[in-house]
Amino acid sequence: MIEHRLIERMLSVIKGVLAKIESKHAVDPVFVDIAVDFIRVYADRTHHGKEEDILFRELNKKALKAEDSQIMKELIEEHLFGRQTTKALVEANNLYRKGDETALADIAANFKTLTEFYPRHIEKEDKIFFPLSRTYFTDEEDQALLAEFWEFDRNMIHEKYKSLVEGFEDR
Ligand SMILES: [Fe+2]
Ligand SMILES: [Fe+2]
């Protein structure tokens, strides 16, 4: 939930840039790169990573009520949708950088999709899914999850910069 708050702040920043895109009919492609990096590394890999690789994995070992497992499926689909939208954003930004002005509308549309879809996803987790998840775990299990979250986070900065170097090496 703490991580959701930072994602919301980034979404507000993106909304500000969206307003500027509308008034100035231009965007800084470097801003789009940085927003994509935030979404991919923080929101998706670090945050959804802890949800999918740890929380959902442990919930899958429990006898979930049908409606609870349905919500988990929806959340996984929403993570996929977020990834597809981000990929479309990257493609539009590449075209825009090459001088294709029509790609600006796609950049704006994908940003808009993200700013509309993420708050709903976050609300579903904060108000419904996380509280119901907690009921499946004992206090010991809850503490073990938390410890694994910390360990997962500890690796993220190393993973990010290792992949950055590998990206340069592959060029
Ligand atoms: Fe999520
Ligand atoms: Fe989340």
Side-chain angles (χ1 to χ4, degrees):
M1 284 187 190
I2 291 168
E3 292 170 0
H4 285 165
R5 304 292 80 81
L6 190 66
I7 294 169
E8 285 167 346
R9 286 165 64 189
M10 188 61 189
L11 294 173
S12 294
V13 171
I14 291 173
K15 276 188 195 162
V17 169
L18 261 174
K20 276 193 198 149
I21 293 177
E22 277 170 30
S23 63
K24 298 196 169 144
H25 305 289
V27 73
D28 180 357
V30 175
F31 173 79
V32 182
D33 289 338
I34 296 168
V36 165
D37 183 75
F38 177 88
I39 296 162
R40 284 189 164 163
V41 179
Y42 187 78
D44 197 42
R45 180 70 189 120
T46 306
H47 177 75
H48 297 161
K50 285 200 287 299
E51 290 172 353
E52 292 185 0
D53 298 359
I54 302 172
L55 177 64
F56 297 177
R57 179 200 70 205
E58 289 306 307
L59 281 167
N60 271 325
K61 296 177 186 168
K62 308 282 179 183
L64 291 190
K65 286 186 209 144
E67 63 261 37
D68 296 351
S69 122
Q70 178 56 34
I71 300 173
M72 188 159 81
K73 267 195 208 120
E74 287 168 19
L75 294 174
I76 292 168
E77 276 164 23
E78 288 164 17
H79 291 171
L80 279 172
F81 177 74
R83 276 167 214 142
Q84 285 160 0
T85 307
T86 309
K87 187 165 177 267
L89 177 63
V90 170
E91 284 161 5
N93 196 37
N94 288 342
L95 290 174
Y96 183 73
R97 197 175 245 132
K98 283 179 194 152
D100 181 351
E101 301 249 332
T102 65
L104 184 64
D106 291 327
I107 292 175
N110 285 298
F111 267 153
K112 194 158 188 291
T113 301
L114 289 170
T115 60
E116 287 169 353
F117 133 85
Y118 261 118
R120 290 199 302 270
H121 177 80
I122 284 173
E123 192 180 10
K124 200 194 274 189
E125 290 180 338
D126 281 352
K127 297 207 171 136
I128 303 168
F129 192 73
F130 290 166
L132 76 81
S133 296
R134 186 61 187 84
T135 65
Y136 287 98
F137 299 114
T138 64
D139 287 347
E140 289 74 40
E141 287 171 328
D142 187 55
Q143 288 306 305
L145 277 173
L146 198 59
E148 202 177 343
F149 287 161
W150 287 120
E151 179 60 18
F152 189 93
D153 279 350
R154 202 179 62 76
N155 288 319
M156 280 302 111
I157 193 84
H158 302 286
E159 184 178 300
K160 177 184 164 53
Y161 285 104
K162 187 165 171 259
S163 88
L164 180 135
V165 173
E166 285 169 354
F168 282 122
E169 287 169 346
D170 289 345
R171 273 182 204 170

